Amino acid sequence: MKRKPILPLVLGLICTGTLAAWAASGPRQEILSHYANQAGVALSAERGRAFFLASQTGGNPDTPSCSSCHTANPKNAGRTRVGKVIEPMAVSRTPARFTDAAKVEKWFGRNCNTVLGRECSSQEKGDILAYFSSL
Amino acid sequence: MIRFPKAATAAAGCLMLAIALPAAGQQTAAELATQECSACHVLYPPSFLPPQSWQRITSTLDQHFGEDASLPEDQAAKIRDYLVAHASSRFPTMSVDQAPLRISELSWFKGEHRRLFERARNDPAIGSISNCGGCHRMDGYYEK
């Protein structure tokens, strides 16, 4: 009997396995861990919820809260100030959310400055993401 | 017949996939402008404003009509070049400082939308005169 070449199969498995692991390793989990490490405390979805709903000062008075645009329920779609729909922030409703670290940082950078007039801390960012991921 | 060793074929396929994945992120300036601008509003037609306006707008994205819309400078520059290249040529001598920032303040726009500013503001389904898609088909013809 002719011996079946085993090498291609092994290489194929390694290739598929690596790609699958890369896709499933949880980019969102990595982002959460990064903020938790930076903050030095365990993240809290409950603190995130309170921060999300709080009325802030220091930023644009037209948008005093995250919920000004995202609505008080992150499972709902929000609207930008000019009326464009924002897909829900809840991961259960928009599964692609928070899987791109650069995009997450970009939007925290912009929106914290717009709403609070300052950067958000790693704990604030992590808590918010924990809240959105828990819904 | 020349037979490629299957192992080599598998390895080459794996390598090509690894190269193709990041390459899929390469965007044209038009795609980048559409993606970034329309994250918050429709991509307003570049030809609605002169190049001086687009220079002003893309240089002050951290204070964009009350919002921080900052972008990394390389992306802002790529979008600026695209908008300037497709801008209106109607105001060749206008200085950047005098260039209008709002399409909705241009006289032709106000003339076309005279009674619609208030209606757009008061209709929750539209929200603002800046939400073109609230009334218009956004397919390049702007039919109502």
PDB file of all heavy atoms in Angstrom, chain B residues 80-95:
ATOM      1  N   ARG B  80      -8.222  65.010   3.620  1.00  0.00           N
ATOM      2  CA  ARG B  80      -8.124  66.405   3.167  1.00  0.00           C
ATOM      3  C   ARG B  80      -7.793  66.448   1.681  1.00  0.00           C
ATOM      4  O   ARG B  80      -8.455  67.148   0.907  1.00  0.00           O
ATOM      5  CB  ARG B  80      -7.035  67.132   3.976  1.00  0.00           C
ATOM      6  CG  ARG B  80      -6.819  68.594   3.559  1.00  0.00           C
ATOM      7  CD  ARG B  80      -5.683  69.210   4.382  1.00  0.00           C
ATOM      8  NE  ARG B  80      -5.923  69.016   5.795  1.00  0.00           N
ATOM      9  CZ  ARG B  80      -5.035  68.491   6.660  1.00  0.00           C
ATOM     10  NH1 ARG B  80      -3.833  68.123   6.239  1.00  0.00           N
ATOM     11  NH2 ARG B  80      -5.351  68.336   7.922  1.00  0.00           N
ATOM     12  N   ASP B  81      -6.795  65.671   1.269  1.00  0.00           N
ATOM     13  CA  ASP B  81      -6.388  65.668  -0.142  1.00  0.00           C
ATOM     14  C   ASP B  81      -7.544  65.250  -1.037  1.00  0.00           C
ATOM     15  O   ASP B  81      -7.757  65.818  -2.106  1.00  0.00           O
ATOM     16  CB  ASP B  81      -5.199  64.714  -0.357  1.00  0.00           C
ATOM     17  CG  ASP B  81      -3.931  65.248   0.295  1.00  0.00           C
ATOM     18  OD1 ASP B  81      -3.922  66.425   0.696  1.00  0.00           O
ATOM     19  OD2 ASP B  81      -2.963  64.473   0.411  1.00  0.00           O
ATOM     20  N   TYR B  82      -8.307  64.254  -0.585  1.00  0.00           N
ATOM     21  CA  TYR B  82      -9.447  63.772  -1.383  1.00  0.00           C
ATOM     22  C   TYR B  82     -10.514  64.857  -1.507  1.00  0.00           C
ATOM     23  O   TYR B  82     -11.008  65.146  -2.599  1.00  0.00           O
ATOM     24  CB  TYR B  82     -10.040  62.512  -0.731  1.00  0.00           C
ATOM     25  CG  TYR B  82     -11.363  62.118  -1.314  1.00  0.00           C
ATOM     26  CD1 TYR B  82     -11.430  61.480  -2.553  1.00  0.00           C
ATOM     27  CD2 TYR B  82     -12.554  62.411  -0.653  1.00  0.00           C
ATOM     28  CE1 TYR B  82     -12.656  61.135  -3.109  1.00  0.00           C
ATOM     29  CE2 TYR B  82     -13.780  62.065  -1.199  1.00  0.00           C
ATOM     30  CZ  TYR B  82     -13.829  61.430  -2.417  1.00  0.00           C
ATOM     31  OH  TYR B  82     -15.034  61.104  -2.967  1.00  0.00           O
ATOM     32  N   LEU B  83     -10.868  65.488  -0.368  1.00  0.00           N
ATOM     33  CA  LEU B  83     -11.931  66.497  -0.389  1.00  0.00           C
ATOM     34  C   LEU B  83     -11.515  67.709  -1.218  1.00  0.00           C
ATOM     35  O   LEU B  83     -12.304  68.243  -2.008  1.00  0.00           O
ATOM     36  CB  LEU B  83     -12.265  66.920   1.052  1.00  0.00           C
ATOM     37  CG  LEU B  83     -12.871  65.825   1.944  1.00  0.00           C
ATOM     38  CD1 LEU B  83     -12.953  66.296   3.385  1.00  0.00           C
ATOM     39  CD2 LEU B  83     -14.254  65.419   1.436  1.00  0.00           C
ATOM     40  N   VAL B  84     -10.263  68.138  -1.045  1.00  0.00           N
ATOM     41  CA  VAL B  84      -9.757  69.311  -1.779  1.00  0.00           C
ATOM     42  C   VAL B  84      -9.747  69.028  -3.281  1.00  0.00           C
ATOM     43  O   VAL B  84     -10.125  69.875  -4.096  1.00  0.00           O
ATOM     44  CB  VAL B  84      -8.349  69.694  -1.256  1.00  0.00           C
ATOM     45  CG1 VAL B  84      -7.640  70.620  -2.218  1.00  0.00           C
ATOM     46  CG2 VAL B  84      -8.467  70.335   0.127  1.00  0.00           C
ATOM     47  N   ALA B  85      -9.365  67.801  -3.647  1.00  0.00           N
ATOM     48  CA  ALA B  85      -9.286  67.451  -5.070  1.00  0.00           C
ATOM     49  C   ALA B  85     -10.658  67.445  -5.738  1.00  0.00           C
ATOM     50  O   ALA B  85     -10.763  67.623  -6.950  1.00  0.00           O
ATOM     51  CB  ALA B  85      -8.626  66.086  -5.236  1.00  0.00           C
ATOM     52  N   HIS B  86     -11.710  67.252  -4.955  1.00  0.00           N
ATOM     53  CA  HIS B  86     -13.061  67.171  -5.529  1.00  0.00           C
ATOM     54  C   HIS B  86     -13.938  68.354  -5.103  1.00  0.00           C
ATOM     55  O   HIS B  86     -15.162  68.299  -5.188  1.00  0.00           O
ATOM     56  CB  HIS B  86     -13.733  65.854  -5.119  1.00  0.00           C
ATOM     57  CG  HIS B  86     -13.034  64.651  -5.655  1.00  0.00           C
ATOM     58  ND1 HIS B  86     -11.965  64.055  -5.026  1.00  0.00           N
ATOM     59  CD2 HIS B  86     -13.218  63.964  -6.807  1.00  0.00           C
ATOM     60  CE1 HIS B  86     -11.545  63.037  -5.754  1.00  0.00           C
ATOM     61  NE2 HIS B  86     -12.269  62.965  -6.838  1.00  0.00           N
ATOM     62  N   ALA B  87     -13.294  69.427  -4.628  1.00  0.00           N
ATOM     63  CA  ALA B  87     -14.045  70.556  -4.085  1.00  0.00           C
ATOM     64  C   ALA B  87     -14.595  71.450  -5.195  1.00  0.00           C
ATOM     65  O   ALA B  87     -14.237  71.318  -6.366  1.00  0.00           O
ATOM     66  CB  ALA B  87     -13.137  71.362  -3.160  1.00  0.00           C
ATOM     67  N   SER B  88     -15.442  72.407  -4.781  1.00  0.00           N
ATOM     68  CA  SER B  88     -15.989  73.396  -5.706  1.00  0.00           C
ATOM     69  C   SER B  88     -14.895  74.377  -6.117  1.00  0.00           C
ATOM     70  O   SER B  88     -14.036  74.744  -5.310  1.00  0.00           O
ATOM     71  CB  SER B  88     -17.119  74.153  -5.000  1.00  0.00           C
ATOM     72  OG  SER B  88     -17.404  75.351  -5.686  1.00  0.00           O
ATOM     73  N   SER B  89     -14.937  74.844  -7.357  1.00  0.00           N
ATOM     74  CA  SER B  89     -13.930  75.810  -7.804  1.00  0.00           C
ATOM     75  C   SER B  89     -14.548  77.202  -7.935  1.00  0.00           C
ATOM     76  O   SER B  89     -14.021  78.066  -8.617  1.00  0.00           O
ATOM     77  CB  SER B  89     -13.343  75.358  -9.144  1.00  0.00           C
ATOM     78  OG  SER B  89     -14.405  75.105 -10.043  1.00  0.00           O
ATOM     79  N   ARG B  90     -15.664  77.411  -7.231  1.00  0.00           N
ATOM     80  CA  ARG B  90     -16.387  78.674  -7.420  1.00  0.00           C
ATOM     81  C   ARG B  90     -15.799  79.860  -6.661  1.00  0.00           C
ATOM     82  O   ARG B  90     -16.144  80.996  -6.927  1.00  0.00           O
ATOM     83  CB  ARG B  90     -17.860  78.492  -7.018  1.00  0.00           C
ATOM     84  CG  ARG B  90     -18.659  77.739  -8.063  1.00  0.00           C
ATOM     85  CD  ARG B  90     -20.092  77.573  -7.634  1.00  0.00           C
ATOM     86  NE  ARG B  90     -20.756  78.857  -7.375  1.00  0.00           N
ATOM     87  CZ  ARG B  90     -21.844  78.976  -6.625  1.00  0.00           C
ATOM     88  NH1 ARG B  90     -22.362  77.920  -6.050  1.00  0.00           N
ATOM     89  NH2 ARG B  90     -22.411  80.153  -6.447  1.00  0.00           N
ATOM     90  N   PHE B  91     -14.953  79.603  -5.687  1.00  0.00           N
ATOM     91  CA  PHE B  91     -14.438  80.724  -4.884  1.00  0.00           C
ATOM     92  C   PHE B  91     -12.908  80.698  -4.861  1.00  0.00           C
ATOM     93  O   PHE B  91     -12.297  80.513  -3.809  1.00  0.00           O
ATOM     94  CB  PHE B  91     -14.964  80.658  -3.446  1.00  0.00           C
ATOM     95  CG  PHE B  91     -16.452  80.496  -3.355  1.00  0.00           C
ATOM     96  CD1 PHE B  91     -17.032  79.248  -3.211  1.00  0.00           C
ATOM     97  CD2 PHE B  91     -17.275  81.612  -3.435  1.00  0.00           C
ATOM     98  CE1 PHE B  91     -18.412  79.098  -3.135  1.00  0.00           C
ATOM     99  CE2 PHE B  91     -18.662  81.475  -3.352  1.00  0.00           C
ATOM    100  CZ  PHE B  91     -19.230  80.213  -3.217  1.00  0.00           C
ATOM    101  N   PRO B  92     -12.279  80.887  -6.029  1.00  0.00           N
ATOM    102  CA  PRO B  92     -10.832  80.684  -6.103  1.00  0.00           C
ATOM    103  C   PRO B  92     -10.011  81.647  -5.242  1.00  0.00           C
ATOM    104  O   PRO B  92      -8.918  81.310  -4.825  1.00  0.00           O
ATOM    105  CB  PRO B  92     -10.516  80.866  -7.589  1.00  0.00           C
ATOM    106  CG  PRO B  92     -11.676  81.601  -8.158  1.00  0.00           C
ATOM    107  CD  PRO B  92     -12.858  81.258  -7.335  1.00  0.00           C
ATOM    108  N   THR B  93     -10.556  82.849  -4.947  1.00  0.00           N
ATOM    109  CA  THR B  93      -9.725  83.826  -4.243  1.00  0.00           C
ATOM    110  C   THR B  93     -10.048  83.928  -2.757  1.00  0.00           C
ATOM    111  O   THR B  93      -9.448  84.720  -2.048  1.00  0.00           O
ATOM    112  CB  THR B  93      -9.912  85.224  -4.858  1.00  0.00           C
ATOM    113  OG1 THR B  93     -11.298  85.570  -4.778  1.00  0.00           O
ATOM    114  CG2 THR B  93      -9.462  85.238  -6.316  1.00  0.00           C
ATOM    115  N   MET B  94     -10.986  83.139  -2.291  1.00  0.00           N
ATOM    116  CA  MET B  94     -11.364  83.231  -0.885  1.00  0.00           C
ATOM    117  C   MET B  94     -10.223  82.750   0.018  1.00  0.00           C
ATOM    118  O   MET B  94      -9.541  81.774  -0.297  1.00  0.00           O
ATOM    119  CB  MET B  94     -12.594  82.350  -0.660  1.00  0.00           C
ATOM    120  CG  MET B  94     -13.139  82.388   0.734  1.00  0.00           C
ATOM    121  SD  MET B  94     -14.487  81.207   0.874  1.00  0.00           S
ATOM    122  CE  MET B  94     -15.789  82.124   0.066  1.00  0.00           C
ATOM    123  N   SER B  95     -10.019  83.456   1.137  1.00  0.00           N
ATOM    124  CA  SER B  95      -8.966  83.018   2.058  1.00  0.00           C
ATOM    125  C   SER B  95      -9.493  81.881   2.937  1.00  0.00           C
ATOM    126  O   SER B  95     -10.708  81.745   3.121  1.00  0.00           O
ATOM    127  CB  SER B  95      -8.509  84.181   2.935  1.00  0.00           C
ATOM    128  OG  SER B  95      -9.472  84.429   3.928  1.00  0.00           O
TER     129      SER B  95
END
